[in-house]
Amino acid sequence: MTAAADKPRLSREHMLDLLKQMIRIRRFEDKCAELYTQEKIRGFMHLYDGEEAVAVGVIPVLDKRDRVVATYREHGQALVRGVPMTTIMAEMYGKQEGCARGRGGSMHLFDAATNFYGGNAIVGGGLPLAVGLGLADHMRSNDIVTACFFGDGAVAEGEFHESMNLAALWELPVLFVCENNLYAMGTALALSESETDIHRKAECYRIISEAVDGMDVVAVEAAARRAVHAVRESRKPYFLECRTYRLRAHSMFDPQLYRDKAEVEARRHSEPIVRFQQWLETNHMIHPEDLPRILAEIDAEIAQSVAFAEAGTWEPVDQLTRFVYADAAVPAGR
Amino acid sequence: MVEFRMPSLGADMEAGTLVEWLIKPGDVVKRGQVVAVVETQKGAIEIETFQAGRIDKVLVDLHSKVPVGTPLALILAEGEEKPAVATAVPPPAAVAPTAAPSLERPPMAPARPVSPVRPRVAPGTQVSPAARRLAQERGIDLSTVTGSGRDGAITYADVERRAAEVMAPAVPVAPAERKRAPTLDLGAMRVAIAAAMARSKREIPHYYLEHQVEVTACERWLAEKNATLPPEGRLLFGALPIKAVALAIRRFPAFNGFYRDNKFAPSPAVHVGVAISIRGGGLAAPALHDVDQLPLDELMRQMRDLIQRTRAGRIRGSEMSDPTITVSSLGERGVETLYGIIYPPQVAIIGIGKAVVRPWVIDGAIGPRSVITMTLSGDHRVTDGHAGALFLAEIGKLLQEPEKL
Amino acid sequence: MKQEPIKTEAIEITYREAVREALRDAIKRDERVFLMGEDVGRYGGCYAVSHGLLAQFGPERIRDTPLSESGFTGAGIGAAMAGMRPIVEVMTVNFSLLALDQILNTAATLRHMSGNQFGVPLVIRMATGAGRQLAAQHSHSLEGWYAHVPGIKVLAPATLEDARGMLWTALEDPDPVLIFENVMLYNMTGKLATDAGPVDIDKAAVRRPGRDISLITYGGSLWKTLEAATTLAGDGIEAEVIDLRSLRPLDDATIMASVAKTRHAIIVDEGWRTGSLAAEVGMRIVEQAFWSLDAPLGRVCSEEVPIPYPRHLENAAIPQATKIVAATKAALDRA
């Protein structure tokens, strides 16, 4: 564990909150896996197991007025950002009570109330969007920060490089968070990048960047505080490479032919929840009754979300062609 | 007791093959524990159980390919006792049962609506959609239209021309339509007449009957009647045979109707087509409607109106297509006997020659009488000479009592 | 090319200048509006449309970008979502292919995917069309492709009024609007009313009434079609010329009213013939006005070839007034 990092609040309350947030994501993802095997959730679904520390370390550091752009592996980000679990689950079911009316599904969670600009199924597709959000804030001279999450696969896309360049050139207030889990679907990083030190790519664009142990939630939070503060003050971009690992397959239908089971097992021993829980226990920050209480609260919330989704309704087919263009009543962009 | 089923692992996974059990009956399993390996089109995938408990029974043999949702094993929840009496295992998860093929007949195609005038054309003739629609609206028989489009295709203009030459310009069907100025294209009219008459002679086996009818009574009665009427209201002789024909049809309906599709359909109404000549060489035979019910002065009034409109080019389409029988009279124009050619799809035409004063036998004595020669041209597919003769005789009889017409 | 003279107080102006006026007006009127694209600032615009605007409005409002079509189009999308009103200029439709992912997968889909929470009030202007011997990679007309996509709107201003007036209406639209300016029109001069203002962006216009045939077209082909109509009039054929103006949505009502009257139609479209916008318009006519047709439909499109470099081949590859005249006569069986 990092010792003398930028000081996150090391209070028991905060530590337990970090733990709970990570477990909440983990158990939500687990429930999604179960529901997917039962065909309640369909299409493509990408789970966040093992990467919880990144979302939980970064997002709570942001303000409500800040903006979040994410990828198709965005359940964790959405949950931490405050998108209600009920509406997320309903969205996964495709019910119209979902956070995108059921029209998007797992890969396209959106929530205007929390400035959550989606879920994006195009690798790298969210980066230019984040640049644009930052451009608007730059032109308005406010102090809003846009946090853009993407994976190691995105750095191969032209859009990544264009976005780095634009953000640095125009000095835009964007925090780029690369969740480097070492695999772009089934392709290992070393097999697709000449330079595997991803944060160094950002340096080449003259963006301040650092790499951090993405399996250490306290380290991630400390780095995030540095980064968000820098972006908010300097109004310039910042690049945070979070080195993490994906414990589950890329998506549900993936036999993982591209990596050793032994490698996955080894990683399981040092995954963020296990590590953090051990650290809390070692430092007597967690009491025997805490975990059962946390689990009970989480499981109750999950059960409630499933019930909400199950009880949800299907959007009538005669509404199919709505929401392609604006209804007169809906205000335009914000 | 819970079923552990073949999971769906992907959008395009429909079935999987169980290749390895990692547990056996009696084993205790935790939620999330990998219990089996399934071979899919993408490769072998480990599958986990989301139910904790004790494996009670394995339901599926290894290496069998089963659809997603098939129960693979039964798991007893912790603390649950296996039921003493074997409960009926719930049936396998419904793979969508293939419905027994329906034996019901496919729905009958709806009967094609019969249009009032079905445009019939020779096979191979092309007709543009616009032309087809216009023909239907104007009551034009497409078989009477010459096509001027590519490869002889019938175009809108061709149908328009035909409509004009048979005096069926557009009087507005819908109030919103503009009135069109009437047009008379006599040259084209002749062409159309040629087509119609040629077809009639080609297709209709005509027989001809001739009958001489004394009309002195008619002339006398007309003179009396007209003495009291203003000039524009006077009855003309021509109206009397028309009414007589219409009344005679009541007894001889086989001469009133249409022959189409190899059969004759008698018409309940009697619409008499009146042949009208047009200065310059034109000819038309529009209908007076329900003549059998028209009082004579009303018949006369309508006839006058019809003749005037016809010569001015203002006939309605329905007037052109409605006649159920035609009466053609040359009146004063000079011949005594006129044999008409039937206008298809009608089945008869009455020809009336000019009145001539002839020696006539009455009560054994010879005296001068006004006589007309009336002819019947009949469609031998529908009627024969015997019926025709009776029909003509009836008309002649009716003309002896003009006051009853 | 000259337009019809108009009666109110008017100035002589080029299409290029009309677009520039539209930009100037928009940037002055609304502080949220800014122009972003390659060489729009210091260079003055590839087609000199934005010439002088940088000096007038400064680099924040007239923003030069690197050669990053995907990047700056996506940035335009994000800025629009965050409340600005950007005008992204993609130098030509040929280069827009690099931004197709952002246009189709983000701009067109965002409102729908987010369940109506986020709209993208973005305007993208692009130059399009052939005629300057710029060869195969610089001469595409892909408006028809874009018109295929639900979620965006596609405009083709062909007149000075539309060049001047469509931009403002597009900026007020809460959804993404693509405006295609045909390169051959930039030099076109004509008279424009001094008080010319916003125009609608969803109706076609009858540019020349007629009774014998409907010639349906858009963009750069409009003037060739009008020229053909003049020639045809000399042969006693009165063609009705319809300028589509909006390619998505298409104004079915105007098209069908015309075809109901003339019973004949030819569509003139500079896109390649196969799968063209002309095919879409033709199909709609068959669906909605079949019983009015007195002859098969026709179309005059670009030939099935990448646009060649030498002038005579380029001319042969794209629609021309002579081809339109010939097609009309064939449709009316008066070859």
Side-chain angles (χ1 to χ4, degrees), chain A residues 67 91 99-101 103-104 108 110-113 115-117 119-120 122 124-126 128-129 131-133 135-140 159 162-163 165-166 169-170 320 322-327 330-334, chain C residues 34 36 60-61 63-72 74-85 101-102 105-106 108 110-121 149-153 174-175 248:
Chain A
R67 311 180 196 271
E91 184 62 35
C99 54
R101 278 180 202 266
R103 297 256 179 162
H108 304 299
F110 286 83
D111 184 46
N115 292 322
F116 194 79
Y117 288 84
N120 196 316
I122 303 291
L129 196 118
V131 166
L133 295 170
L135 177 61
D137 292 327
H138 164 88
M139 295 180 78
R140 293 232 197 74
E159 288 181 321
E162 295 185 21
S163 301
N165 185 43
L166 286 172
L169 187 69
W170 290 343
L320 174 65
R322 289 187 72 199
F323 316 125
V324 178
Y325 300 99
D327 288 341
V330 173
R334 286 140 17 92
Chain C
F34 66 99
M36 173 162 64
E60 286 288 306
R61 309 292 295 282
R63 186 172 276 271
D64 279 324
T65 66
L67 273 63
S68 304
E69 280 79 3
S70 187
F72 66 74
I77 293 168
M81 287 171 71
M84 305 299 285
R85 286 288 184 276
D101 173 65
Q102 287 297 323
N105 278 323
T106 309
L110 212 67
R111 179 178 294 285
H112 180 259
M113 280 195 309
S114 69
N116 208 24
Q117 292 182 87
F118 295 104
V120 181
V149 179
I152 57 176
K153 299 181 181 178
D175 292 307
R248 186 178 186 109

Side-chain angles (χ1 to χ4, degrees), chain C residues 129-136 138-139 183-184 307-315:
Chain C
R132 297 233 177 275
Q133 295 189 253
L134 300 182
H138 278 54
S139 306
V183 290
M184 301 306 283
I307 305 298
Y309 159 69
R311 178 182 299 284
H312 70 292
L313 289 183
E314 184 181 49
N315 285 344

